[in-house]
Amino acid sequence: MKKKNNQALISFYIITIFPEMFTSISHYGVTGKAIQKKIIELSFINPRDFTEHKHKSVDDRPYGGGPGMLMTVQPLYLSIKHAQSLLKDATVVYLSPQGIKLNQNNIFNLIQKKKIIFVCGRYEGIDQRIIDSLIDEEWSIGDYILTGGELAAMVIIDSVSRFIPGVINKKKSLENESFCNNLLDYPNYTRPKEIYNMKVPDILLSGDHNKIRLWRLKKSLEKTLEKRPDLLEKKILKKKKKIF
Ligand code: 21W
């Protein structure tokens, strides 16, 4: 079947000792569809398949002492080299708490890349020599501690999938989205008009689209001022950019 021109293909190679975790995004919802339609392509490389250690181990104790274990060089090195041979010119990204903290802007820039190799660490991290020799970029998804890079990779793939043409068809639903314009969403309502003594605001039933647009903008601004004043400051700095 021929691919439609508006469908950008993004390939992710994921280096992980827990590839089964990714069934959660492959089988469900928007990301599941995107993968089914081959708009997003996920491939897995398991360092355990590349270990030359007699007990198939992929971790060892840190030199100099300290808590926990680290992922060793050898299985990761061969895994990354293998991924690079299958996905030429890909950006190699190590997911770690030390990385650049991702936001909506980074995610948007990411879809231009098309080819990404994610290295998911487990234990207390990976040997620094892998980072120095094979990693192009190091990314974090926020200032809290996870148990490994897999959930971070899934968060990124999930978020990226919203940006790809053909994944979410309704262009409009993306245009007004939270964070795109540094505003939080306005309140939303669907049928019925009244339930359990709770009503939909009259203005949304008025059919006056200009008034509705202004009401939504007002609500968005109010909500943002109340909950995330930091976003409004960003917005004022970027005043020239048109909103809504
Ligand atoms: C968490 C690894 C904490 C290491 C020596 C001994 C990927 C992540 C991760 C993890 C530590 C991301 C230490 C936000 C995250 C991830 C696993 C710290 C200290 N050093 N984004 N002990 N948060 N986390 N080790 O945790 O792999 S992206």
Side-chain angles (χ1 to χ4, degrees), residues 46-189:
N46 190 336
R48 214 168 289 280
D49 297 334
F50 286 84
T51 178
E52 288 162 3
H53 192 272
K54 57 175 184 266
H55 300 299
K56 283 201 166 272
S57 85
V58 293
D59 63 324
D60 209 337
R61 288 164 300 160
Y63 278 123
M69 303 292 269
L70 296 171
M71 293 187 87
T72 57
V73 170
Q74 184 268 315
L76 276 180
Y77 190 92
L78 293 189
S79 297
I80 296 169
K81 287 288 181 189
H82 186 60
Q84 285 175 319
S85 75
L86 296 171
L87 198 64
K88 297 263 173 349
D89 306 315
T91 304
V92 183
V93 175
Y94 173 45
L95 300 164
S96 97
Q98 285 82 46
I100 295 168
K101 196 159 71 182
L102 288 182
N103 58 30
Q104 194 70 0
N105 274 332
N106 305 127
I107 299 283
F108 184 74
N109 293 334
L110 206 158
I111 50 168
Q112 267 72 282
K113 288 203 193 282
K114 309 281 188 225
K115 294 175 179 182
I116 309 264
I117 296 168
F118 279 137
V119 178
C120 301
R122 279 276 147 179
Y123 316 108
E124 292 304 320
I126 69 178
D127 191 300
Q128 184 64 34
R129 287 168 291 185
I130 289 288
I131 300 171
D132 295 342
S133 61
L134 291 176
I135 300 299
D136 296 318
E137 296 182 19
E138 209 172 331
W139 297 348
S140 159
I141 61 163
D143 294 337
Y144 39 83
I145 310 290
L146 303 173
T147 59
E150 286 80 3
L151 280 171
M154 285 189 262
V155 164
I156 295 165
I157 293 163
D158 187 287
S159 181
V160 160
S161 70
R162 291 188 70 90
F163 271 122
I164 305 169
V167 173
I168 289 188
N169 273 319
K170 306 228 167 58
K171 215 171 137 205
K172 282 262 158 64
S173 79
L174 290 174
E175 278 170 6
N176 292 346
E177 198 153 63
S178 264
F179 298 116
C180 263
N181 50 19
N182 281 318
L183 284 180
L184 299 181
D185 268 355
Y186 46 78
N188 289 295
Y189 302 86

Side-chain angles (χ1 to χ4, degrees), residues 172 174-177 179-183 210 213-214 217 221 234-244:
K172 282 262 158 64
L174 290 174
E175 278 170 6
N176 292 346
E177 198 153 63
F179 298 116
C180 263
N181 50 19
N182 281 318
L183 284 180
N210 226 19
R213 198 172 49 85
L214 282 171
L217 175 57
L221 286 165
K234 262 198 225 166
K235 191 167 187 64
I236 290 159
L237 291 173
K238 289 201 268 173
K239 203 168 81 190
K240 273 191 207 146
K241 245 180 99 182
K242 223 183 111 196
I243 46 168
F244 273 63

